[in-house]
Amino acid sequence: MVQLSTAVCLLGGLFLIAPVLMAPTHSSMCTPLRTINDSLSHRRRYMKHNFPIEYTIKVHNREIFRLSNISRMKLRTEGLNDLVLQRLWFQVYQGVLKKILWVLPTRHPSRPYTAELERRFKDAQAVFMQSHPAEVFQEDLPEKIQDIWDSLTEKPENMPESSWRFATPKSLLDNLCRTMYCLFSECFSNADVQEDCKYKTGNDTVGCNLFKNHPMSAFKWVHFVKMMSGINSPNSSLHNVSLDVKEASAFVFQILD
């Protein structure tokens, strides 16, 4: 049965809702994914403390792959299959892990950790491939997803400079972890998801909770998006924004009750 995970984020006093439909995760995937999760629990030490302050690496802009990217693809691509997003997730992060390894000298203290994480990731990807019929991976991808896929597999020398961004190794693994919880939510507990979705952006704290197993009709989402759209309208007054947020808050807690 299809499940609905709802990301509810409190940012600057505004509730931002992002629906993410989740398909059941094949049971064989949980063990290798939890093994990856065990490695990721040490990412602060190996991806932050062992690097110079503010150290960044060059990655493709599509490799900055966050929960918000998943939500946007869900909203903009009709009938998007979760299996497609899981395939894309593996494609994105195999490239990310390779790029982190490329910048690490042989004797760097984080290299053995990263190499082991990449090996575990490849093991999980192999199980993922074996968990589905071969013809599934031969199906055409939705056009928007195919565009992302093609950009990820393009030769670096053929890509314009605007295709690249700089990111810290830890932020890349943070994204890997959060999106893994989202796309393979059945393999992880609510506590895992809620704890790792608390992070800071600049001086503002952003707290996100993924409410799993909560059914919500498409009609309610359409109604809520229409209601919230007035918040960002250039004609909205501060007074009206406050009222909209109050109404939005009441609506969120009503549907999550």
Side-chain angles (χ1 to χ4, degrees), residues 92-115:
V92 167
Y93 284 108
Q94 72 172 7
V96 166
L97 291 172
K98 283 181 181 178
K99 287 182 175 65
I100 295 176
L101 269 175
W102 285 343
V103 302
L104 293 174
T106 304
R107 296 186 179 182
H108 192 283
S110 292
R111 187 173 180 85
Y113 166 82
T114 309

Side-chain angles (χ1 to χ4, degrees), residues 34 181 184-195 212:
R34 288 170 183 157
Y181 286 159
F184 303 94
S185 58
E186 291 184 356
C187 293
F188 302 98
S189 68
N190 281 328
D192 287 333
V193 174
Q194 292 178 6
E195 178 61 28
K212 295 160 60 173

Side-chain angles (χ1 to χ4, degrees), residues 104-175:
L104 293 174
T106 304
R107 296 186 179 182
H108 192 283
S110 292
R111 187 173 180 85
Y113 166 82
T114 309
E116 176 65 12
L117 178 58
E118 186 193 36
R119 185 190 65 77
R120 293 183 176 189
F121 190 85
K122 287 181 177 178
D123 289 345
Q125 189 172 24
V127 174
F128 177 73
M129 299 290 287
Q130 296 166 6
S131 300
H132 303 282
E135 55 268 23
V136 169
F137 302 102
Q138 298 170 1
E139 296 176 356
D140 292 337
L141 296 171
E143 183 178 355
K144 291 182 179 179
I145 305 300
Q146 186 66 56
D147 289 343
I148 297 174
W149 193 283
D150 291 343
S151 65
L152 289 169
T153 54
E154 182 69 67
K155 292 183 179 179
E157 60 269 21
N158 294 336
M159 293 190 300
E161 191 62 30
S162 59
S163 297
W164 300 99
R165 291 180 60 182
F166 288 89
T168 65
K170 181 178 179 297
S171 71
L172 292 168
L173 292 196
D174 285 346
N175 291 337

Side-chain angles (χ1 to χ4, degrees), residues 222-239:
V222 171
H223 168 73
F224 185 76
V225 170
K226 285 182 177 179
M227 180 180 66
M228 289 294 290
S229 63
I231 291 180
N232 292 322
S233 171
N235 296 323
S236 295
S237 67
L238 183 60
H239 177 67

Side-chain angles (χ1 to χ4, degrees), residues 1 19 26 30 46 54 63 65 75-76 81 85 88 103 124 128 149 160 166 179 191 196 200 206-207 213 229 233:
M1 188 172 103
H26 198 284
C30 289
Y46 290 104
E54 304 299 331
E63 291 172 329
F65 191 76
L75 289 170
R76 297 174 182 177
N81 190 318
L85 286 174
L88 183 61
V103 302
F128 177 73
W149 193 283
F166 288 89
T179 51
D196 207 78
K200 290 187 176 182
V206 180
N213 305 327
S229 63
S233 171

